[in-house]
Amino acid sequence: MSLDDWPVPPPFMWACEQCAELLWLFEPAYTADKADPGRDHAARLQVTLSRHVAEDHPSELPAPHTDDCAQCEHYASQADARDAALWAEHRARGLFLPPLSARLM
């Protein structure tokens, strides 16, 4: 997957020291050879960054997807607070990942 097709993260993410640091770690993690053990680091980066955005920048979260997103439909039907947090992380992923990857979790 080429980083050329990815969304440009919004300015608030570059202004936040923690967001920016995590964003800079993405390129080597995603362009590593599939056999490189460092490639597993990419999944941890996604979770860490999406959780940070959801917790520390809640006003910047995108609205729920309205185009048949199975994850949004699932989270909308749940009443648990943990599901609400996971839904926020799901929406945050779209700020820095292509839709195909962002909507997996």
Side-chain angles (χ1 to χ4, degrees):
M1 181 182 313
S2 169
L3 292 177
D4 294 337
D5 300 327
W6 291 34
V8 175
F12 84 87
M13 293 183 78
W14 295 110
C16 169
E17 187 175 325
Q18 187 172 353
C19 285
E21 181 178 339
L22 291 166
L23 286 168
W24 282 113
L25 294 172
F26 265 85
E27 195 274 334
Y30 277 95
T31 57
D33 183 88
K34 290 185 180 189
D36 185 336
R39 186 150 173 100
D40 292 338
H41 186 60
R44 288 190 298 276
L45 284 170
Q46 287 181 31
V47 171
T48 301
L49 183 52
S50 64
R51 184 167 295 147
H52 166 72
V53 171
E55 291 175 355
D56 292 359
H57 307 287
S59 65
E60 301 290 349
L61 287 172
H65 304 112
T66 58
D67 57 349
D68 297 325
C69 175
Q71 293 294 341
C72 280
E73 289 175 15
H74 167 76
Y75 290 129
S77 68
Q78 306 301 309
D80 188 283
R82 176 152 165 71
D83 288 316
L86 290 172
W87 193 8
E89 291 175 25
H90 165 75
R91 296 189 333 260
R93 292 164 53 87
L95 295 171
F96 58 90
L97 290 172
L100 181 64
S101 297
R103 295 189 182 190
L104 291 176
M105 297 182 4

